[in-house]
Amino acid sequence: MTRTLGVAGILGIALFVGAAILALALAATGAETGATGGVFHAPVFDAYVWRVARFTLIQAGLSTLLSIAFAIPVALALARRRRFPGRIWIIRLMALPLGLPALVAALGIVGIWGRQGVVNDVFALLDLDRPVAIYGLAGILVAHVFFNMPLAVRLLLSGLERIPGEYWLVSANLGLSGLSLFRFIAWPVIRGLLSGMAGLIFMLCATSFTLVLTLGGGPAASTLEVAIYQALRFDFDPPRAIALSALQIAVTAVLLLVLRWMTPPATEGFTTGRPVRRFDGRSRSAILADGLVIALAALFVAAPLASVLVSGLASDLGKLASDAQVHRALVTSLGIAAVSAALSVALATIMLTTRQILLSQRRPGRFAHLFSGSVAAGTSLVLLVPPVVIGAGWFLLLRPFGDVARFAPAVVTLINTLMALPFVTRVLAPAIATHAARTGRLTTSLGISGWSRIVLIDWPGLRRPLLMALSFAAALSLGDLGAVALFGSQDMVTLPYLLYSRMGSYRTTDAAGLALLLGFVCVALTILGTARESLRERAS
């Protein structure tokens, strides 16, 4: 039964994504139902397409470079200062953008860096003519650094904190200077993380949609995903959407291959487990320098969040609370988030459990290895074929059946399910493997199976990672604009779509209140998912 469900999950993912790609391929040859002129004769890979592709790669490359360049000194400073008041809150602040919807962050960034933002107000007080322009490439870079610099800090800090304590003791006995410590101890760790981390950030920036749509400022600053959305939503130009989708798939495929090839195997230094004690950076100048770096990073991340909070509290929250459209959008968003999160967690659990059962056999056969590879490919498929591309395919596929808005809730829910799957799998895969190693043989020898095993063995052991994965998946779905941007209508409005509509109609006060509501719900979901982990850290 488990094997059947696992195979059905893999086939379901392949069918859903494959149908979208097939619809795009058929439209490219003029064979899709509803095409209005047979084979398209206009050139699709024109100068505009290549310009969009070039801008996508340039902004992703600059965003990656800036994110990592700023993250390295912050991570080094936090690793050196292992104990100071508020350190745990600084680290938690670095995790906050991961659970924040991109649209909410964009509104906060505009509040700080926009023409009427805090930074330009400071320049105005100095009799300068508001020199900071947030829309265009500059705004996209600031937004991507806001999201990805904290992610890089977390990844780097995790690696630096795994350096054995013996390394620092030996370096102190040898009298190594700060530059030598970085060269021989810290840099090898950073270098080992650099390629994989850079590839991940580059891929996230290359497939960015909401931030570019909000802060791009026009066609001159469009990425492939935004161009696909514009080609279908506004121009209804299927050939252009197909050409852009093909380029998007090719770009993400190359990125995934490069990421896989460049990521070195994890290596850990020998240690006896003694507590880590740093002997470097004790001079007053080093302490001041580290404090300044940490403070600037915290200010950069916290300022947009504070802007959202202040603007939201200054809005007419009572009016929004009584707005029927807000009620419908909230109910729709919560419903889609709950269903898509449950589907994503259930699908990942079934496939990972099936893989674990097959690989735990004494002699795993060809089917076991084939299924294991299929799970890895299927759960990462949304990284290869981004949500906007899948949505574009289903948009074309459903057009012959009438108004595509009728199918919006189901399609958006399924796309959000796939969108969360890579993140859910990353949370659940190690937990399920560890749980199986600890309980598999004992439960088999005791003859515990079926519902009894789920209630007595699996749920107590996997409850925390399951709830964490569920909360992250719900937060991702709740803040998503990419899928609903193609299918949204007056009958199908989510909170991000309503927020984007209010921003587009210059109803900034309402947008600020909606941003506060959406951000609060998403952050609350993220905190609930990690509440037990925080309590465990505090107890230790």
Side-chain angles (χ1 to χ4, degrees):
M1 181 63 178
T2 304
R3 178 184 296 190
T4 303
L5 291 176
V7 172
I10 292 291
L11 292 178
I13 294 173
L15 180 62
F16 185 73
V17 178
I21 296 176
L22 179 62
L24 292 171
L26 291 176
T29 60
E32 114 273 27
T33 303
T36 57
V39 179
F40 299 110
H41 298 288
V44 290
F45 287 100
D46 55 12
Y48 170 78
V49 173
W50 295 119
R51 180 167 59 81
V52 169
R54 184 171 61 251
F55 180 81
T56 300
L57 297 177
I58 290 174
Q59 65 84 18
L62 290 176
S63 298
T64 303
L65 181 63
L66 291 174
S67 298
I68 295 178
F70 292 148
I72 289 176
V74 178
L76 290 172
L78 285 171
R80 268 192 298 267
R81 309 301 160 193
R82 299 181 61 85
R83 290 179 179 84
F84 63 84
R87 183 180 187 271
I88 184 62
W89 294 106
I90 297 292
I91 295 175
R92 288 173 180 172
L93 177 65
M94 294 297 160
L96 207 53
L98 300 178
L100 194 69
L103 200 55
V104 176
L107 200 63
I109 289 169
V110 171
I112 298 298
W113 300 92
R115 182 163 182 80
Q116 305 299 326
V118 175
V119 174
N120 273 323
D121 286 345
V122 173
F123 280 114
L125 292 175
L126 300 175
D127 293 329
L128 298 176
D129 188 21
R130 298 183 179 274
V132 179
I134 192 61
Y135 293 102
L137 178 60
I140 293 172
L141 295 179
V142 170
H144 282 162
V145 172
F146 170 80
F147 274 100
N148 296 306
M149 185 270 289
L151 172 63
V153 168
R154 297 274 295 191
L155 294 174
L156 290 170
L157 183 61
S158 177
L160 292 171
E161 289 183 337
R162 290 198 302 268
I163 295 176
E166 290 83 356
Y167 285 28
W168 304 112
L169 181 60
V170 171
S171 66
N173 290 333
L174 294 175
L176 295 183
S177 63
L179 184 60
S180 298
L181 288 173
F182 176 79
R183 178 183 175 186
F184 294 112
I185 298 180
W187 175 243
V189 174
I190 296 174
R191 183 179 57 194
L193 297 170
L194 205 56
S195 60
M197 181 175 59
L200 175 61
I201 294 175
F202 189 94
M203 186 170 58
L204 291 174
C205 296
T207 57
S208 178
F209 174 76
T210 304
L211 293 175
V212 179
L213 184 66
T214 308
L215 299 174
S222 289
T223 58
L224 289 170
E225 291 212 17
V226 173
I228 294 168
Y229 163 73
Q230 292 171 342
L232 284 178
R233 186 71 174 179
F234 298 113
D235 305 329
F236 193 72
D237 187 356
R240 180 60 52 83
I242 294 157
L244 292 166
S245 299
L247 266 181
Q248 178 78 318
I249 293 173
V251 168
T252 50
V254 170
L255 289 177
L256 285 174
L257 288 175
V258 171
L259 176 62
R260 184 170 182 177
W261 289 338
M262 292 183 63
T263 303
T267 57
E268 299 290 343
F270 173 78
T271 178
T272 58
R274 64 185 303 157
V276 175
R277 186 181 177 189
R278 298 284 296 263
F279 301 92
D280 57 320
R282 295 189 174 186
S283 66
R284 179 173 299 179
S285 60
I287 293 174
L288 290 176
D290 287 345
L292 180 62
V293 168
I294 294 171
L296 289 176
L299 180 63
F300 178 77
V301 176
L305 304 179
S307 174
V308 171
L309 179 62
V310 172
S311 300
L313 293 176
S315 65
D316 193 347
L317 295 176
K319 176 186 174 183
L320 290 176
S322 61
D323 190 335
Q325 192 176 23
V326 174
H327 297 166
R328 290 195 300 270
L330 179 60
V331 170
T332 301
S333 294
L334 290 175
I336 291 175
V339 175
S340 63
L343 286 175
S344 186
V345 171
L347 187 60
T349 303
I350 290 171
M351 292 190 300
L352 292 173
T353 302
T354 303
R355 182 178 70 177
Q356 190 65 38
I357 292 174
L358 292 174
L359 293 179
S360 63
Q361 297 174 354
R362 181 169 297 179
R363 292 182 178 179
R366 182 178 300 178
F367 176 78
H369 294 289
L370 178 63
F371 183 83
S372 177
S374 300
V375 170
T379 54
S380 299
L381 196 57
V382 72
L383 299 176
L384 177 61
V385 188
V388 170
V389 175
I390 300 175
W394 277 96
F395 186 90
L396 295 175
L397 194 65
L398 295 173
R399 279 188 61 243
F401 300 97
D403 185 9
V404 295
R406 293 185 301 157
F407 308 97
V411 175
V412 171
T413 299
L414 292 175
I415 291 177
N416 285 348
T417 299
L418 291 184
M419 180 187 69
L421 203 56
F423 303 94
V424 170
T425 303
R426 186 168 184 175
V427 173
L428 292 181
I432 289 177
T434 301
H435 177 74
R438 292 176 178 176
T439 64
R441 292 185 179 180
L442 182 59
T443 53
T444 301
S445 63
L446 294 176
I448 303 176
S449 61
W451 184 250
S452 298
R453 173 170 179 163
I454 293 175
V455 173
L456 299 176
I457 307 297
D458 294 336
W459 172 245
L462 295 173
R463 178 174 53 193
R464 189 173 65 200
L466 284 171
L467 291 177
M468 182 185 299
L470 191 67
S471 68
F472 283 164
L476 285 171
S477 177
L478 195 65
D480 175 62
L481 180 64
V484 77
L486 284 173
F487 294 92
S489 65
Q490 294 298 323
D491 299 325
M492 164 67 178
V493 178
T494 63
L495 272 181
Y497 189 79
L498 181 61
L499 172 56
Y500 181 71
S501 300
R502 299 282 171 94
M503 288 175 64
S505 58
Y506 299 101
R507 299 170 64 178
T508 55
T509 303
D510 287 352
L514 290 171
L516 179 61
L517 173 62
L518 182 59
F520 174 79
V521 175
C522 290
V523 171
L525 286 171
T526 304
I527 292 174
L528 285 176
T530 57
R532 288 180 173 271
E533 188 70 19
S534 299
L535 289 174
R536 186 171 66 85
E537 290 178 359
R538 187 180 303 174
S540 62

